[in-house]
Amino acid sequence: MARGQDTPPEALRQAPHDFEAEVAVLGALLCPPNLENPSHEVEVVRSILSPSDFYEEAHKYIARAIFTLAQEGEPTDILAVAQKLREEGKLDEIGGIPYLTRLVDDRPPGVDIVRQAERIKTLALKRSLLARLEEAKAKLHDEGDIGEVLADLSLISEEFVAASPFNLEVFRFSELQALDLPPKEWLIPNLLPRSGLVILAGRPKTGKSLMALDIALAVATGGKALGCLDVERSGEVLFISLEDEREGLKKRTEALLPDGASFPERLIGACRWRLLERGGLWDLERFLIQHPEVVLVVIDPLARLRRPPKAGSDIYTLDVQVLGALQKLAQRRRVAILALHHTRKAPPLPEDAFTSVLGSTGITGVADATWLLRCTKGEERAELVIEGRDIEFQTFALEWDGRWTLVGKAEEVRMSEENQEVLDLLREFREMHLRDIAEALGKPLPVVKQRLYRLRLAGKVERVGRGVYRLKEQGELPALPELPGYFVTNGGEEPKNPTTNGNGDSPPESNKVTEVTEVTEVTPIPPSPQRDDDPDPPPRPTTLAQGNAGNASPDPPLTASEVRRVIGEIFRQVGEALARDDGGGEDGGRPPP
């Protein structure tokens, strides 16, 4: 029978091996110590290979002799190895001393024996895997249990990955000093990094999916995200929607796009995906290799791509392993991965809002950035809390108008709204006392004081008295005319015609004034009760008695300058009262207490 005539093609295929690599490694280890055989090289190779990893039988015997001598602290030159093989009865079987000498002579100069040892190990694992697969194939041909075969294949895969050589790369920190770091790149400045894993967490039905789709549309079209954020780098976007079918995605997209706008060609969707632990991670990497223009991947939600943990398993370790692999993929392929996640029902710790993210702390620990959408279902306002490795902690205010729109930093928006409440009150009542403002707003007195202080610094409000404030936009009161040296002193009533003795028979002569000839005693008005926070209230107006009241004061009369000063104070008080009463609403305004 001719060779291969009745033999399947697989049996004719030679098992994977590399003869030159085996010669290079054994030849380097057989060098005499005074040449190129540092003892640490044997230890390094021993940490990678075992004698059974060599393909040639002779090489297995030689490697075992070298490793045994090294373990005993003996040299591993040709003569020492030959003596060891002679003791084991294998020297003639491998070809004697001439074959050992040929290994040294045939080794390529300057070869990296560590890399060659790793290659030998990889080929040995391939041979072992092929043998295990042949066993699994035989079981399937013999009507073996499919579940058992799949379990064996899963175990084989884990063993192969664990036994594969790992390229260890170490460096000295002194080398970092000359390292030229590129500038930080963003898809959306200070929000979404160019590459890395970002977690967007929030309560169910609060608009996370619509927010993610809004960002995906902005990156795909180069438009604005969340209504106002510029996209620094646009490109293709993969949107993995595991909760919506195509019909639902169409409705959401139409709600976000302008009327009549075309769907972006650079936005790619998927409604089915394998679990990350069961091939989904490899599917994603293969997709990114086939679509190098993709800059953003959205996963909605992350939990639909995770395998449920087994009872008693370490959840933290699982999260770190799976999400760590996802993060490394994002960094390796230079894409941003935005994964949507839920928050727990229990309130977060006061000192850390991100403790509300569902699952272990491994999720937020692995992520390059975490976004937390805080709002109550049905409300039209929300806060977006952001924290990351290269993103400073900040909180943004959002408003809902069919989509989430960013309106500014939450603290600034909150302060603006609080200040507007004070301005609205002052606009309605013209002037108000500090206590009245606090009572109207239902806020503590110190809080209102702080708001008024900020408004005064901003030039919106001015203080017109102890504890009394008004809007500065109203402007200053008009200047009073300069007083003449005479004035009617009849108690503020209209001047009467002296010829009628006040009986009203003759028309009043309003243009006439009576010269002040004598001023009675000035009687001050008792002060009003003093407020706790108003220790020094403004002076109250005084009243002049009528000049001709019939009861002359025995005290000497006031001088003309003193009279002008008192009358000027009266004019000032009357003018302010008139200004307050002007335009103060239906009730004529509210005077300060």
Side-chain angles (χ1 to χ4, degrees):
M1 182 180 67
R3 181 181 177 182
Q5 197 171 27
D6 297 325
T7 307
E10 292 82 357
L12 296 177
R13 189 175 300 166
Q14 193 176 31
H17 71 284
D18 190 336
F19 183 83
E20 288 76 13
E22 295 184 5
V23 170
V25 171
L26 294 177
L29 299 182
L30 284 169
C31 287
N34 59 345
L35 292 180
E36 303 176 20
N37 185 28
S39 59
H40 75 273
E41 288 190 353
V42 180
E43 297 301 323
V44 170
V45 173
R46 281 183 60 200
S47 67
I48 300 173
L49 296 174
S50 63
S52 61
D53 292 329
F54 289 87
Y55 180 72
E56 300 288 339
E57 288 295 323
H59 294 170
K60 292 180 181 179
Y61 298 142
I62 296 171
R64 182 163 58 243
I66 292 174
F67 293 163
T68 302
L69 290 172
Q71 189 174 5
E72 295 173 353
E74 300 293 334
T76 60
D77 56 86
I78 294 177
L79 296 179
V81 172
Q83 180 61 31
K84 186 67 175 177
L85 290 171
R86 186 180 291 110
E87 294 174 357
E88 297 176 352
K90 301 294 184 182
L91 183 59
D92 294 336
E93 189 174 341
I94 61 108
I97 294 179
Y99 186 75
L100 297 178
T101 304
R102 195 173 67 183
L103 287 176
V104 175
D105 294 339
D106 291 348
R107 67 185 179 90
V111 68
D112 185 351
I113 66 170
V114 174
R115 186 176 295 275
Q116 295 300 323
E118 290 176 346
R119 173 164 175 74
I120 294 171
K121 183 67 175 181
T122 300
L123 294 173
L125 290 172
K126 288 183 177 181
R127 295 194 298 271
S128 175
L129 181 59
L130 287 172
R132 300 283 291 276
L133 291 176
E134 288 296 329
E135 294 177 3
K137 186 189 298 184
K139 287 183 179 180
L140 291 177
H141 281 295
D142 295 340
E143 301 296 332
D145 182 64
I146 296 179
E148 182 181 350
V149 172
L150 291 176
D152 290 342
L153 292 177
S154 177
L155 182 61
I156 291 171
S157 176
E158 293 179 1
E159 291 177 355
F160 180 79
V161 172
S164 299
F166 178 73
N167 294 326
L168 184 64
E169 297 182 5
V170 296
F171 57 88
R172 297 187 183 277
F173 268 63
S174 57
E175 301 172 8
L176 300 180
Q177 188 171 2
L179 187 63
D180 187 15
L181 296 177
K184 181 67 178 179
E185 294 183 284
W186 304 89
L187 293 185
I188 302 175
N190 301 315
L191 185 73
L192 186 60
R194 170 73 174 83
S195 63
L197 175 63
V198 178
I199 300 294
L200 169 57
R203 297 290 300 275
K205 311 301 181 185
T206 53
K208 297 188 303 297
S209 298
L210 208 60
M211 176 185 290
L213 183 57
D214 180 273
I215 293 173
L217 286 169
V219 174
T221 60
K224 290 185 179 294
L226 301 180
C228 62
L229 300 177
D230 294 322
V231 173
E232 188 171 286
R233 181 184 179 90
S234 62
E236 291 187 346
V237 179
L238 172 62
F239 196 96
I240 303 176
S241 177
L242 303 175
E243 291 183 337
D244 270 334
E245 296 295 336
R246 298 190 179 193
E247 295 79 6
L249 285 176
K250 179 182 178 181
K251 291 180 181 179
R252 290 175 182 267
T253 307
E254 288 175 340
L256 293 174
L257 289 175
D259 293 339
S262 301
F263 282 32
E265 187 69 24
R266 295 198 294 181
L267 184 57
I268 306 169
C271 297
R272 299 285 187 275
W273 208 271
R274 288 195 294 178
L275 300 179
L276 295 176
E277 299 94 325
R278 295 181 178 175
L281 197 64
W282 163 240
D283 292 341
L284 182 57
E285 182 155 15
R286 182 174 57 183
F287 178 86
L288 294 175
I289 293 173
Q290 296 171 350
H291 299 79
E293 297 300 318
V294 171
V295 297
L296 173 63
V297 176
V298 178
I299 300 175
D300 180 22
L302 177 63
R304 292 285 184 102
L305 282 187
R306 296 291 309 278
R307 181 172 58 184
K310 297 179 180 179
S313 58
D314 187 349
I315 306 299
Y316 175 85
T317 302
L318 290 175
D319 287 341
V320 170
Q321 289 177 347
V322 176
L323 295 185
L326 191 62
Q327 180 215 26
K328 290 298 182 184
L329 171 61
Q331 295 176 346
R332 186 167 62 251
R333 293 298 168 190
R334 298 282 293 158
V335 299
I337 297 179
L338 179 61
L340 277 61
H341 198 47
H342 293 303
T343 54
R344 63 183 84 250
K345 293 182 179 179
L349 297 177
E351 64 274 9
D352 187 1
F354 294 97
T355 56
S356 62
V357 177
L358 190 63
S360 73
T361 55
I363 296 178
T364 55
V366 169
D368 295 286
T370 305
W371 301 355
L372 184 61
L373 180 61
R374 297 194 301 191
C375 71
T376 303
K377 187 162 52 178
E379 287 191 355
E380 297 182 352
R381 292 192 177 185
E383 289 185 347
L384 184 63
V385 187
I386 297 176
E387 184 179 53
R389 291 187 176 89
D390 298 316
I391 303 176
E392 61 175 316
F393 180 88
Q394 49 193 335
T395 304
F396 294 103
L398 304 173
E399 287 187 355
W400 178 265
D401 55 354
R403 65 199 302 171
W404 284 120
T405 302
L406 192 146
V407 295
K409 290 191 174 182
E411 181 63 24
E412 296 176 356
V413 173
R414 194 180 302 114
M415 288 176 55
S416 176
E417 293 174 350
E418 293 172 350
N419 293 341
Q420 190 61 43
E421 293 177 344
V422 177
L423 295 176
D424 291 342
L425 277 176
L426 294 179
R427 188 170 290 109
E428 179 180 358
F429 294 105
R430 306 281 294 185
E431 289 183 5
M432 292 186 71
H433 194 275
L434 176 64
R435 285 188 179 277
D436 295 334
I437 298 174
E439 291 174 3
L441 297 177
K443 301 292 183 181
L445 200 61
V447 174
V448 177
K449 280 185 177 180
Q450 187 178 16
R451 293 187 193 178
L452 289 167
Y453 176 74
R454 291 196 298 260
L455 290 171
R456 288 180 62 197
L457 292 179
K460 300 289 186 181
V461 168
E462 63 180 347
R463 188 170 62 184
V464 294
R466 181 70 69 177
V468 180
Y469 296 85
R470 70 177 176 187
L471 293 179
K472 196 168 185 178
E473 291 90 339
Q474 295 176 351
E476 298 293 335
L477 292 173
L480 295 174
E482 188 173 350
L483 290 176
Y486 47 84
F487 188 70
V488 177
T489 58
N490 56 5
E493 299 176 359
E494 287 292 331
K496 300 176 182 180
N497 191 339
T499 59
T500 61
N501 295 324
N503 56 13
D505 295 335
S506 300
E509 299 178 9
S510 57
N511 293 331
K512 290 187 177 181
V513 295
T514 305
E515 185 175 354
V516 178
T517 57
E518 185 178 3
V519 181
T520 60
E521 181 181 357
V522 178
T523 305
I525 297 177
S528 60
Q530 187 170 319
R531 293 178 176 269
D532 295 337
D533 60 333
D534 195 359
D536 188 17
R540 308 290 291 187
T542 57
T543 304
L544 295 180
Q546 292 185 1
N548 300 319
N551 295 325
S553 172
D555 297 330
L558 296 174
T559 62
S561 61
E562 290 174 336
V563 171
R564 290 192 182 94
R565 179 178 59 79
V566 175
I567 294 176
E569 180 64 18
I570 294 174
F571 261 64
R572 190 184 69 80
Q573 296 288 342
V574 172
E576 288 183 344
L578 291 175
R580 286 195 298 270
D581 292 341
D582 184 20
E586 296 179 359
D587 57 353
R590 181 179 178 183

